[in-house]
Amino acid sequence: MINEIKQEILKDIEIYKNNSDDHYDFWNEHIKYVYKEAISLSELYKADRTIVELGALLHDIALIKQVGDRKDHHTNGAKLAKDILEKYNCPKEIIEKVIGCVLNHRSCKNATNLEELCVCDADILAHFDNIPMLFNSAFNRNKVKLNEVRTWMKECFEKDYNDLSDKTRELFKLRYKQICEIVLGE
Ligand SMILES: [Fe+2]
Ligand SMILES: [Fe+2]
C-alpha cells in the first residue's frame, strides 16, 4: 500500500512540476528528504514505521494537489489523506494516526504522539538536507539581495532549529553548528 500511495503522489508531483513556474520538483526537493529523515527518526524513537512513512508521504498533499490556501494545507491535507488511505482500504486505526501526522505537522509543539513528532521533525530536517533549495528560495522566490542573504538564511536556520522537538534538537546540535560554519561562514 505504501508503494502504491507513493506512486500516486509521484504522479501528482509531476503535474505540479509541469504547472509551476520554476518546475519545482516536490519529491526531489522536499518529500524524499522528509521521508528519509522520518524513517530514521521512527527507528531511533521506536515509533510505528508504517504510520510515519505514510505521514511523511502525505503531510504536504494539499500543497502538491494545490487544494486551498497554503495556510490551511494541514487541514485540507488531512481530508485528502483520509480519502487516499480509504481508497487503498487502509485500516481505520492507521488512517486516524496518519491524519494526525498530517494535521499536526506544522509545529513540533502540536505533536501528540511519537509518530507525529517524527514527521514534524523530519519536515524541518529536510531543510538541513537540501541547502541548495534554500538558495533558490532566497534568490529566486524571495528576491533576497546578496548582502542580505546571510542574515536571511541565518534566520531560517535558527527558526528551523528552534522548531525541532527538544530531543531531536539535541541530536542535531552539531549538524546545525556545521551548517552555520559552512554556509554562513560563522
Ligand atoms: Fe507543510
Ligand atoms: Fe513539508
Side-chain angles (χ1 to χ4, degrees):
M1 176 187 62
I2 294 177
N3 200 39
E4 283 172 295
I5 290 176
K6 185 178 157 191
Q7 294 312 316
E8 179 170 338
I9 291 167
L10 285 172
K11 277 185 204 156
D12 288 330
I13 285 175
E14 195 58 27
I15 296 167
Y16 182 98
K17 191 167 98 178
N18 293 331
N19 289 337
S20 76
D21 290 341
D22 57 358
H23 277 245
Y24 184 76
D25 183 334
F26 240 110
W27 179 257
N28 284 307
E29 300 300 343
H30 184 57
I31 307 291
K32 81 169 180 194
Y33 296 111
V34 181
Y35 189 57
K36 182 195 84 172
E37 295 291 0
I39 290 171
S40 98
L41 290 176
S42 77
E43 285 164 1
L44 206 62
Y45 297 154
K46 310 259 181 290
D48 185 293
R49 182 168 166 150
T50 304
I51 290 161
V52 169
E53 279 193 50
L54 289 167
L57 286 173
L58 290 163
H59 80 283
D60 276 339
I61 193 67
L63 295 178
I64 294 167
K65 285 185 179 284
Q66 294 178 280
V67 171
D69 280 353
R70 187 178 185 92
K71 67 173 176 47
D72 303 319
H73 79 272
H74 54 302
T75 48
N76 290 321
K79 289 177 207 148
L80 293 165
K82 184 173 186 277
D83 292 344
I84 293 170
L85 293 162
E86 281 175 350
K87 193 169 78 184
Y88 291 98
N89 298 316
C90 182
K92 215 172 171 166
E93 57 278 15
I94 294 184
I95 296 182
E96 271 171 30
K97 291 219 161 142
V98 176
I99 287 174
C101 292
V102 178
L103 204 55
N104 295 324
H105 84 268
R106 306 287 296 274
S107 168
C108 297
K109 317 275 178 289
N110 298 336
T112 64
N113 56 42
L114 276 179
E115 289 73 26
E116 291 178 12
L117 190 120
C118 289
V119 174
C120 282
D121 279 339
D123 198 20
I124 293 171
L125 295 176
H127 299 162
F128 290 4
D129 290 339
N130 189 6
I131 291 168
M133 192 187 77
L134 194 62
F135 282 99
N136 181 55
S137 186
F139 292 128
N140 296 330
R141 291 195 164 193
N142 290 287
K143 311 286 176 214
V144 178
K145 300 268 190 319
L146 183 60
N147 62 347
E148 289 164 357
V149 80
R150 273 190 183 75
T151 314
W152 188 89
M153 283 194 175
K154 189 180 164 67
E155 282 171 9
C156 290
F157 287 131
E158 267 176 6
K159 187 187 172 299
D160 277 347
Y161 185 62
N162 290 326
D163 279 347
L164 286 170
S165 68
D166 292 345
K167 47 186 167 183
T168 306
R169 192 185 313 111
E170 197 52 39
L171 282 174
F172 281 82
K173 206 174 182 172
L174 179 63
R175 179 86 178 278
Y176 173 67
K177 206 173 150 255
Q178 288 168 334
I179 289 173
C180 292
E181 278 172 9
I182 295 166
V183 182
L184 307 173
E186 291 189 341

